[in-house]
Amino acid sequence: MEKEDLKIVNRGLEDEMELSGYRLCRWKLVLVGLGGLCTGGFLFLLLYWMPEWCVKATCTRTAVRDAEVALLRSTDEFKRWFRARVRIMLAPGKNPYDNLASQTASPQANDHAHNPSDSAPEKITRIQGDQHVQIRYFTLHSTKYFWNDTIHNFEVLKGLEDLSMTCSSVHSKHSLGLNKNQQEYRRFFFGLNEIDVKVPSLFKLLIKEVLNPFYIFQLFSVILWCTDEYYYYAMAIVVMSFISIATSLYTIKKQYVMLHDMVATHSTVRVTVYRGDNETEEALSTDLVPGDVIVIPSNGIIMPCDAVLICGTCIVNESMLTGESVPVTKTDLPNPQQDKKGGDGDTIYGTEEHKRHTLFCGTNVIQTRYYTGEMVKAVVVRTGFSTAKGQLIRSILYPKPTDFKLYRDAYLFLLCLVAVASIVFVYSLVMKILNQEPVKEIIVKSLDIITITVPPALPAAMTAGIVYAQRRLKKVGIFSISPQRINICGQLNLVCFDKTGTLTEDGLDMWGIQRTEDGRFHHSEEKADDKSLVTTKFVSCMATCHSLTKIEGQLSGDPLDLKMFEATGWILVEATEEETAQHDRIELTYVKPPNQLLPPPVISPEQDMELSELYELSASYMIGIVRQFSFSSALQRMSVVVRQIGERRMDAYLKGAPEVVASLCKKESVPEDFAEVLEDYTKQGFRVIALAHRRLESKLTFHKVQNINRDQIEKNMDFLGLIVMQNKLKTETPGVLEDLRRANIRTVMVTGDNMLTAISVARDCGMIQPQDRVIIADALPPKDGQAAKINWHYADKPGKPSNKPTKLEQEMEIIMDDGHSETRPQEQYHFAMSGKSFAVIIEHFQDLLQKLVLHGTVFARMAPDQKTQLVETLESVDYFVGMCGDGANDCGALKRAHAGISLSELEASVASPFTSTTPSITCVPNLIREGRAALITSFCVFKFMALYSIIQCLSVALLYSIGSNLGDFQFLFIDIAIILLIVFTMSLNSAWKELVARRPPSGLVSVPLLFSVLTQILICLGFQIMGFLLIQKLDWYSKPDFYNCSAPHMDNSTNSGTKEERIMNDVNTTLFFVSSFQYLIVAVVFSKGKPFRQPSYKNWPFVLSTLIVTIFLFFIMFVPISGIYQFLELVCVPLSWRVAMVLIVLGNTLVSVFIETVVLDVILWKHVFSRDKQGSYGVSPAGPTPQEGMELYGTKCLSWLCCRRRKVPKARYMHLAQELSVDPDWPPKPKSTTEAKPGPHPDDCSYHIEAVS
């Protein structure tokens, strides 16, 4: 491609593509049309399958701005091609954000916002009548790309975020909404606000399915067979294809309907649109465009778009996005310009950065909070497929292809079969010509050999194992939306786990509190609902600093907040609208202690307490929540502004991560031993939350508080103390992680929790062994001219290993690709780092990153996008990565991993290939076991189908040499009664009961598999040729006098011209029986059990099928029944030859079994091919027994013979392990520092390690 005409669209995004422009060429179209007619439509099919060829064959290259057809290629590793027709639409202007009055002038840049007050209706009417402009665009994957003259490229219009507007401009320029004309103008560009999942008609799906290359090949085969009068077999294939197509159509249609129903709940709802001056109108949600202002009803709504709250508060269930059904409070977007002191805090609005103020499409607004006389309003930011839900649906509708070595090798293997078919095709062509057969016969028979060598039933056979595995997974509560990934699960060698809710229990239990006073810690206390504590600031903070709300009378909110509030014993009261009408934007929520916790009133003995007085006493301790600053995972804290009834001044309470809270407090209020106390708790695995308080200035009024920036509140706080919460491990967690460790599958923890807590949990659950060292990488960004650096320090002293080490702990080994292993007793170490450090390392220590993830086990305080980055980094060093999370914040990582397993059944699980109905990590080993079983089944089936086609091809080729062939019903019997029956039953072996420390091969093109296939081909070829040659040398051959049976016999001395006479002969019968038994032999030797599948004898359908076919073959061989022989076109041969055939079959069986089970599985696999591929710390058994010593000696000898030269391992992580094993400076020593040293180019990163005294 010419570089100057090549454009990049979606630069830097996941769907980045190269774009080039083409114009339709008439003479090329004519030529293609003629070519299609001459080839019987095959050229049209080829161009349909190859978009790049289609565009280049029918178009000529042109500038992108003048293109009629856009040709795009993805820049990822798949390099997929797409074509799109460039269309032209007429619109009043070129920029959707321009003022309508200025459309006659040159278009403005995208950073100029419109002014809603301009643009009278008559202006747009005049422009629509006179001055329309042409806008070029094309649509790809439900996204419109518009031509932009400013950047000379196509771009996607996403919504108001294109304007890079600040928070204050959202309020000042977009809060009045759009008038009708402006809305209609924007709809030219953004279209209807709908996520339109069109369910294709069955006819469209049928055409698309039938045009698959595989079905076209089947159609070619059926036509060929009908030409040769093989009607029965042709009909059998047609019926099979019909069943396969019908099943496929049903599945695809069902998925489309499910997806359509999923988005239909909010696709069309009635909304109230704000038009300014307190005017509203009812409209359909499909009419909304970015810039519209909608009114959120008090009884809630399922959001039809992404919108930012500019007035009021909403309680939202975001389970569709996050996987958590916990209600989230959304507050209105801060307006820094209203706050005189907070003007500096004006930031660019972004849906991710301001998600606490953004209502996302598809999320359920449960209820709204508003002030009397004001509506809860939100500005529409994104519509249609640009919304958060729209992007999720797009990723499901247009997924990336699954890149797995098995599928690439399958195509390679098919090409090999095609090559074999080509050789046999030429051979059969020559043989037919030499035999002087008719031209039609030569063409049909020669082409027939191709349909034999490339079996049409192969794809159906390959998917059988996956379908059975999917069914077994469903029984244990694991559902899959991407069945092809089950095979990939068999290759997983690293699994990342979220901590809270995945490894540990979802909820937290209150363990105790530790208050401070005068800068010193009190002793820890168990309960916070003590009478002596009820009026303390500590308990007041616990009772007010949360985002809880009442939904239908029940307290609802974050589980941590619930536990904390319940521990105080206080009561939450939400004010009614009538009560708030008495104030002006005052407290909406109150909290108060129960009467029994209040101090006794001072009254005379004879005075009776009235109920009203009781209420007044309780009310005097009521605290109203004036303003809430929601919890931010980026800031790791939340705060509230409150006012106690009867007090003039207000208070601020803060809670959050201890390190963050301490940094916002006055130094004198933080105890000197704060770090030691915190470390002590976190080492024990407790979740610690710190509290702080500040008395606000009296000049801060209610109105000022509503508009103040949180940074002005969250400073100069007084440290109150610590809340200590316990996060218990799930009972099954240690056992599952131990199983994975024994199977040499690495486990990694990726959590948003505290670093030391995470390390403690990792030790408790066995992810980090007691004797292993943990090295914390504390990375600091460049500051004050100093380079970025990493400080290394050891988390704690590991426990001493017992005197007698366990079998799994005695020695570590690095097992390389060529079977060599370096055994060296060494101390295990693990890296731990926080999200901040991870970000610095990604930016400044790129060349160190891969070395760190090789032993990185704990990644704490990780943001959702950092989890995804970690998975990508692990995959970049050739790990097969699994990700297991509870759906909250894990969606990106679940989607990016080779196998994402969501423990949440909510809608967020749509992003994950696998969903477990039981919230337990026991699903992980189950999935890996089934994946391994499915992978081995795929190999078995592929090998069997390859052997079947080669065996049949050999039989036909040998028969062609004497002018014969297999009969129609012989083909039918072999393909239906033997092959299909065996294929669909040999796939039924269930997974082995435990995970072993060995993984199956990842591709078909591997030495063991090729050795297995090639040796079996040679064995079958040898025994077929033996039977073919032996029968022709026997005395009775061609002499019918020797026959002594009632079944038909054809005279071999005559070479009659009819088809029946050419088929019914001794050689045909011999090769039919020998080849039929060969199919059964290879099925048995290829159908392996341990260590990945249950033994074949436990697969009773397979055993029964094999026995029935074997008994039937022996029966018709020794009891020649005339009817069966005539049906199968067999002839009767002497008993001596039948016995000889049995001996040939027995010989074939013994040789095949010996080669496959003894030579391959025992000698070669264990001693030459054996490799773990598990990276830097596989585990090997303890000291060798005498027998193992002999095996070890044999291993070394065979390895020396077969692999004299050490090879560099293929997997990147093994190559790194090999390098690091000889690096004296690795791992970094404790208390050392690694500094980044920028190279001459900005992209270069180098480093050196310095010792710190």
Side-chain angles (χ1 to χ4, degrees):
M1 282 189 184
E2 300 165 19
K3 289 290 177 187
E4 58 269 22
D5 283 337
L6 200 65
K7 304 286 185 185
I8 303 290
V9 293
N10 304 326
R11 188 182 291 276
L13 300 176
E14 195 179 13
D15 53 352
E16 181 181 274
M17 292 177 287
E18 293 173 348
L19 165 68
S20 47
Y22 285 84
R23 271 184 185 280
L24 287 169
C25 177
R26 288 183 182 177
W27 65 266
K28 282 189 175 185
L29 285 167
V30 172
L31 280 179
V32 168
L34 290 171
L37 290 173
C38 295
T39 56
F42 181 72
L43 181 61
F44 295 144
L45 279 172
L46 197 63
L47 297 181
Y48 170 76
W49 295 329
M50 310 290 287
E52 180 198 7
W53 294 7
C54 179
V55 171
K56 290 182 177 178
T58 56
C59 305
T60 52
R61 191 70 183 268
T62 186
V64 173
R65 66 166 298 136
D66 303 321
E68 293 176 355
V69 177
L71 181 64
L72 301 104
R73 187 177 76 159
S74 64
T75 56
D76 56 19
E77 67 270 27
F78 302 107
K79 307 292 181 193
R80 291 169 298 160
W81 291 93
F82 307 101
R83 65 170 181 263
R85 188 71 185 265
V86 178
R87 302 181 185 279
I88 295 172
M89 75 172 184
L90 296 174
K94 288 192 173 184
N95 190 333
Y97 308 111
D98 282 341
N99 294 332
L100 293 174
S102 62
Q103 294 308 321
T104 51
S106 61
Q108 297 176 17
N110 271 7
D111 57 348
H112 290 157
H114 69 284
N115 187 342
S117 60
D118 290 346
S119 329
E122 63 271 9
K123 290 182 182 175
I124 190 170
T125 310
R126 179 178 57 77
I127 293 167
Q128 284 175 344
D130 303 330
Q131 298 180 3
H132 277 86
V133 291
Q134 289 188 344
I135 296 173
R136 306 176 74 85
Y137 73 97
F138 66 87
T139 306
L140 181 70
H141 293 169
S142 302
T143 303
K144 277 187 179 179
Y145 294 79
F146 291 92
W147 177 257
N148 186 327
D149 279 321
T150 309
I151 61 172
H152 300 289
N153 198 358
F154 283 94
E155 66 171 355
V156 180
L157 296 174
K158 291 179 180 170
L160 286 188
E161 284 178 297
D162 296 336
L163 299 172
S164 299
M165 55 189 180
T166 60
C167 293
S168 57
S169 69
V170 174
H171 285 276
S172 61
K173 297 179 181 177
H174 298 275
S175 60
L176 296 176
L178 305 175
N179 60 40
K180 273 278 190 184
N181 287 327
Q182 288 170 321
Q183 189 187 53
E184 285 171 15
Y185 171 54
R186 287 196 182 181
R187 204 174 298 125
F188 273 108
F189 299 90
F190 294 104
L192 290 174
N193 171 36
E194 59 183 358
I195 300 171
D196 188 17
V197 179
K198 290 177 180 172
V199 181
S201 66
L202 278 173
F203 179 73
K204 277 186 180 177
L205 285 174
L206 178 66
I207 295 298
K208 192 175 178 181
E209 188 74 13
V210 167
L211 291 181
N212 184 300
F214 161 64
Y215 289 118
I216 297 298
F217 176 67
Q218 279 198 333
L219 182 66
F220 161 75
S221 304
V222 167
I223 292 168
L224 191 68
W225 293 328
C226 290
T227 309
D228 201 27
E229 298 179 3
Y230 286 166
Y231 298 118
Y232 296 103
Y233 186 49
M235 283 306 296
I237 288 295
V238 167
V239 169
M240 276 172 53
S241 299
F242 177 78
I243 293 168
S244 175
I245 290 170
T247 309
S248 181
L249 289 184
Y250 171 75
T251 308
I252 294 168
K253 180 91 173 176
K254 187 179 173 184
Q255 286 176 344
Y256 269 112
V257 169
M258 279 174 64
L259 204 56
H260 178 268
D261 291 347
M262 193 178 108
V263 298
T265 50
H266 62 84
S267 57
T268 308
V269 292
R270 294 204 71 83
V271 291
T272 305
V273 183
Y274 183 75
R275 296 291 182 205
D277 299 326
N278 285 331
E279 288 183 15
T280 59
E281 68 174 31
E282 291 286 314
L284 286 175
S285 58
T286 48
D287 294 335
L288 295 175
V289 295
D292 271 329
V293 174
I294 57 173
V295 178
I296 312 295
S298 58
N299 59 344
I301 187 176
I302 294 177
M303 287 300 294
C305 57
D306 288 354
V308 56
L309 266 175
I310 54 170
C311 182
T313 306
C314 291
I315 295 160
V316 187
N317 184 335
E318 287 192 324
S319 60
M320 188 282 300
L321 285 180
T322 64
E324 282 189 348
S325 56
V326 174
V328 179
T329 301
K330 301 276 183 169
T331 56
D332 51 353
L333 187 73
N335 184 2
Q337 282 192 353
Q338 282 191 15
D339 178 30
K340 295 172 185 176
K341 294 182 181 177
D344 297 336
D346 207 0
T347 55
I348 300 293
Y349 169 76
T351 50
E352 188 57 39
E353 294 79 9
H354 297 89
K355 62 184 178 185
R356 285 288 175 182
H357 315 292
T358 306
L359 304 171
F360 292 101
C361 179
T363 58
N364 187 8
V365 178
I366 302 167
Q367 65 184 45
T368 61
R369 302 281 182 78
Y370 56 95
Y371 313 109
T372 305
E374 291 194 33
M375 294 175 280
V376 179
K377 292 181 291 187
V379 179
V380 177
V381 179
R382 296 185 299 199
T383 58
F385 277 100
S386 295
T387 61
K389 183 154 190 174
Q391 288 166 1
L392 177 64
I393 300 300
R394 273 186 68 233
S395 70
I396 297 166
L397 282 173
Y398 313 104
K400 275 192 174 184
T402 306
D403 182 33
F404 188 38
K405 199 167 182 286
L406 172 69
Y407 304 127
R408 279 179 278 141
D409 288 355
Y411 290 116
L412 197 63
F413 219 85
L414 280 174
L415 285 174
C416 294
L417 289 179
V418 170
V420 172
S422 306
I423 295 166
V424 183
F425 171 76
V426 173
Y427 161 79
S428 60
L429 201 65
V430 172
M431 293 302 299
K432 295 287 178 187
I433 292 168
L434 290 176
N435 288 341
Q436 297 181 343
E437 295 192 17
V439 175
K440 180 195 171 188
E441 188 76 7
I442 291 171
I443 293 169
V444 170
K445 291 295 181 188
S446 300
L447 288 172
D448 190 35
I449 207 82
I450 295 173
T451 66
I452 291 169
T453 315
V454 184
L458 180 62
M462 284 288 285
T463 55
I466 295 172
V467 170
Y468 295 144
Q470 192 177 10
R471 205 173 290 168
R472 288 194 297 270
L473 285 170
K474 201 176 280 188
K475 285 181 182 176
V476 293
I478 301 170
F479 294 87
S480 171
I481 61 166
S482 180
Q484 294 298 328
R485 285 187 183 248
I486 294 174
N487 272 340
I488 301 177
C489 294
Q491 280 295 307
L492 293 184
N493 54 3
L494 185 147
V495 184
C496 297
F497 292 97
D498 180 37
K499 184 180 78 71
T500 309
T502 305
L503 296 173
T504 60
E505 295 290 351
D506 213 355
L508 289 161
D509 294 322
M510 178 69 80
W511 182 85
I513 59 173
Q514 189 146 13
R515 297 182 298 124
T516 60
E517 198 171 329
D518 300 328
R520 287 198 305 274
F521 276 117
H522 283 271
H523 291 296
S524 59
E525 297 160 275
E526 277 188 35
K527 294 184 178 181
D529 58 354
D530 193 86
K531 286 186 178 182
S532 61
L533 302 177
V534 71
T535 56
T536 60
K537 298 294 182 191
F538 189 94
V539 171
S540 298
C541 183
M542 287 178 69
T544 55
C545 198
H546 53 71
S547 56
L548 299 178
T549 185
K550 276 194 173 177
I551 297 173
E552 295 177 358
Q554 290 292 317
L555 266 183
S556 186
D558 185 270
L560 187 146
D561 286 352
L562 267 172
K563 285 282 182 188
M564 188 177 75
F565 184 74
E566 286 168 0
T568 64
W570 285 40
I571 301 160
L572 184 133
V573 181
E574 289 182 340
T576 62
E577 187 182 345
E578 290 76 22
E579 287 171 331
T580 56
Q582 298 167 13
H583 312 284
D584 183 16
R585 296 183 67 140
I586 315 184
E587 305 96 332
L588 298 173
T589 306
Y590 300 88
V591 291
K592 62 176 184 176
N595 293 331
Q596 60 266 30
L597 288 182
L598 291 170
V602 181
I603 52 172
S604 58
E606 64 274 2
Q607 188 178 3
D608 290 322
M609 180 69 75
E610 297 289 333
L611 284 173
S612 60
E613 291 173 331
L614 258 173
Y615 177 77
E616 284 170 16
L617 178 65
S618 179
S620 66
Y621 283 94
M622 284 179 75
I623 301 175
I625 300 170
V626 179
R627 177 86 193 272
Q628 188 184 91
F629 296 102
S630 301
F631 176 80
S632 162
S633 53
L635 299 174
Q636 296 178 12
R637 64 180 186 264
M638 81 162 285
S639 59
V640 288
V641 177
V642 302
R643 184 182 73 93
Q644 188 178 330
I645 300 297
E647 292 276 344
R648 293 185 63 82
R649 289 172 67 179
M650 289 182 276
D651 297 276
Y653 289 113
L654 172 77
K655 77 164 187 200
E659 308 92 330
V660 175
V661 172
S663 68
L664 299 171
C665 291
K666 299 171 188 167
K667 281 188 179 178
E668 62 270 17
S669 70
V670 180
E672 290 180 7
D673 57 345
F674 165 76
E676 290 81 3
V677 171
L678 176 62
E679 188 176 351
D680 187 50
Y681 281 127
T682 51
K683 277 183 182 177
Q684 294 176 60
F686 289 118
R687 176 86 177 267
V688 184
I689 296 151
L691 306 182
H693 162 260
R694 177 184 158 201
R695 189 84 163 150
L696 296 178
E697 299 82 4
S698 55
K699 63 181 179 182
L700 271 177
T701 63
F702 291 118
H703 291 284
K704 284 181 180 176
V705 164
Q706 296 306 324
N707 300 308
I708 200 168
N709 192 303
R710 73 185 294 169
D711 292 338
Q712 290 184 275
I713 296 290
E714 297 168 348
K715 63 180 183 181
N716 296 324
M717 311 286 285
D718 291 313
F719 192 78
L720 291 175
L722 305 171
I723 297 175
V724 184
M725 306 192 92
Q726 200 171 15
N727 194 195
K728 292 176 183 172
L729 275 179
K730 288 184 178 177
T731 49
E732 65 275 4
T733 296
V736 170
L737 294 182
E738 178 63 17
D739 288 346
L740 294 175
R741 193 174 73 87
R742 286 180 183 276
N744 281 350
I745 295 170
R746 264 189 71 190
T747 51
V748 172
M749 186 190 293
V750 193
T751 177
D753 206 345
N754 174 281
M755 166 88 73
L756 293 173
T757 303
I759 292 171
S760 170
V761 172
R763 283 203 184 279
D764 290 345
C765 66
M767 199 175 275
I768 297 173
Q769 293 298 299
Q771 71 276 13
D772 296 349
R773 285 199 173 275
V774 178
I775 305 169
I776 294 178
D778 184 17
L780 303 170
K783 192 177 181 183
D784 301 330
Q786 292 183 338
K789 61 182 179 181
I790 305 174
N791 295 321
W792 309 96
H793 57 273
Y794 285 25
D796 52 8
K797 291 183 180 178
K800 292 181 182 178
S802 58
N803 295 333
K804 190 177 179 183
T806 63
K807 187 177 180 182
L808 280 163
E809 291 165 358
Q810 282 208 356
E811 53 184 36
M812 314 311 300
E813 73 177 346
I814 299 172
I815 303 176
M816 298 306 169
D817 228 5
D818 57 0
H820 290 289
S821 64
E822 288 187 358
T823 303
R824 51 177 184 141
Q826 64 165 23
E827 190 179 55
Q828 255 294 31
Y829 61 92
H830 305 259
F831 288 113
M833 67 191 77
S834 66
K836 285 180 181 176
S837 295
F838 185 72
V840 173
I841 290 165
I842 279 185
E843 189 175 352
H844 300 284
F845 297 90
Q846 266 294 332
D847 49 351
L848 196 61
L849 180 63
Q850 293 186 341
K851 294 179 181 179
L852 283 172
V853 298
L854 198 64
H855 281 269
T857 302
V858 175
F859 295 85
R861 298 283 191 222
M862 295 286 274
D865 59 324
Q866 289 178 325
K867 292 183 179 183
T868 310
Q869 285 176 322
L870 175 63
V871 169
E872 287 172 349
T873 307
L874 290 165
E875 288 177 354
S876 73
V877 290
D878 299 336
Y879 275 113
F880 281 90
V881 182
M883 173 72 198
C884 182
D886 58 357
N889 308 324
D890 300 321
C891 284
L894 287 168
K895 206 166 116 189
R896 187 67 184 86
H898 288 109
I901 312 150
S902 170
L903 302 186
S904 163
E905 284 187 79
L906 299 160
E907 261 183 316
S909 62
V910 171
S912 176
F914 301 97
T915 305
S916 172
T917 53
T918 52
S920 155
I921 64 167
T922 49
C923 62
V924 175
N926 284 338
L927 186 60
I928 296 172
R929 284 190 306 106
E930 288 297 348
R932 289 179 173 187
L935 188 56
I936 289 296
T937 299
S938 295
F939 290 144
C940 292
V941 169
F942 208 100
K943 285 159 64 179
F944 175 69
M945 293 301 284
L947 258 293
Y948 144 67
S949 60
I950 296 292
I951 290 169
Q952 197 167 74
C953 183
L954 291 173
S955 303
V956 172
L958 290 171
L959 289 171
Y960 275 7
S961 67
I962 60 164
S964 181
N965 195 4
L966 289 172
D968 193 357
F969 287 103
Q970 287 175 346
F971 275 122
L972 197 65
F973 175 78
I974 290 168
D975 289 315
I976 305 296
I978 300 180
I979 303 305
L980 288 184
L981 189 65
I982 294 298
V983 157
F984 290 120
T985 55
M986 78 187 293
S987 302
L988 285 168
N989 288 39
S990 54
W992 185 240
K993 58 193 173 194
E994 61 186 37
L995 282 173
V996 294
R998 195 174 94 196
R999 281 188 303 145
S1002 60
L1004 287 160
V1005 185
S1006 63
V1007 179
L1009 286 168
L1010 289 176
F1011 176 86
S1012 173
V1013 170
L1014 291 173
T1015 50
Q1016 294 301 329
I1017 287 174
L1018 292 173
I1019 292 164
C1020 293
L1021 173 66
F1023 280 96
Q1024 273 203 41
I1025 291 173
M1026 184 193 294
F1028 177 76
L1029 295 176
L1030 277 178
I1031 192 171
Q1032 295 181 63
K1033 290 183 178 178
L1034 294 175
D1035 295 337
W1036 55 264
Y1037 182 70
S1038 307
K1039 294 177 184 175
D1041 302 338
F1042 281 82
Y1043 286 84
N1044 186 21
C1045 55
S1046 58
H1049 166 71
M1050 300 304 297
D1051 188 351
N1052 293 291
S1053 60
T1054 60
N1055 191 11
S1056 307
T1058 65
K1059 179 181 170 184
E1060 288 77 9
E1061 289 167 341
R1062 290 201 313 275
I1063 288 169
M1064 296 179 71
N1065 57 63
D1066 301 321
V1067 177
N1068 169 287
T1069 301
T1070 300
L1071 289 181
F1072 170 77
F1073 277 116
V1074 171
S1075 64
S1076 294
F1077 279 111
Q1078 283 180 335
Y1079 300 132
L1080 296 172
I1081 292 163
V1082 294
V1084 171
V1085 297
F1086 284 162
S1087 186
K1088 294 180 181 178
K1090 284 177 67 176
F1092 304 117
R1093 303 196 306 166
Q1094 292 287 353
S1096 292
Y1097 61 78
K1098 288 191 176 182
N1099 179 359
W1100 66 264
F1102 174 68
V1103 173
L1104 198 63
S1105 305
T1106 310
L1107 280 174
I1108 289 169
V1109 175
T1110 306
I1111 291 165
F1112 176 76
L1113 286 171
F1114 275 123
F1115 176 76
I1116 63 170
M1117 185 190 285
F1118 287 100
V1119 185
I1121 298 168
S1122 181
I1124 295 175
Y1125 269 53
Q1126 283 178 349
F1127 179 77
L1128 291 174
E1129 298 177 88
L1130 299 172
V1131 297
C1132 187
V1133 293
L1135 183 63
S1136 60
W1137 181 241
R1138 283 178 260 166
V1139 173
M1141 281 197 289
V1142 172
L1143 292 174
I1144 288 171
V1145 169
L1146 282 173
N1148 192 339
T1149 306
L1150 290 171
V1151 175
S1152 291
V1153 170
F1154 176 78
I1155 292 292
E1156 190 73 18
T1157 58
V1158 179
V1159 176
L1160 179 66
D1161 287 354
V1162 177
I1163 299 171
L1164 294 177
W1165 183 268
K1166 282 191 177 178
H1167 300 310
V1168 179
F1169 303 143
S1170 179
R1171 60 193 185 277
D1172 189 23
K1173 291 190 174 184
Q1174 285 311 101
S1176 57
Y1177 51 97
V1179 239
S1180 72
T1185 60
Q1187 184 184 351
E1188 288 169 338
M1190 289 295 289
E1191 285 192 359
L1192 190 64
Y1193 179 75
T1195 302
K1196 289 180 178 176
C1197 292
L1198 279 164
S1199 296
W1200 183 81
L1201 286 169
C1202 301
C1203 318
R1204 295 190 180 192
R1205 184 171 57 85
R1206 284 191 66 95
K1207 297 176 186 174
V1208 175
K1210 289 179 186 174
R1212 174 77 182 142
Y1213 67 84
M1214 288 191 290
H1215 182 67
L1216 279 168
Q1218 202 176 48
E1219 285 180 1
L1220 295 177
S1221 65
V1222 294
D1223 187 347
D1225 294 328
W1226 197 263
K1229 303 293 182 288
K1231 296 185 179 178
S1232 61
T1233 300
T1234 302
E1235 280 195 359
K1237 281 207 163 186
H1241 302 287
D1243 295 336
D1244 294 345
C1245 289
S1246 61
Y1247 59 89
H1248 73 282
I1249 298 175
E1250 297 176 347
V1252 176
S1253 54

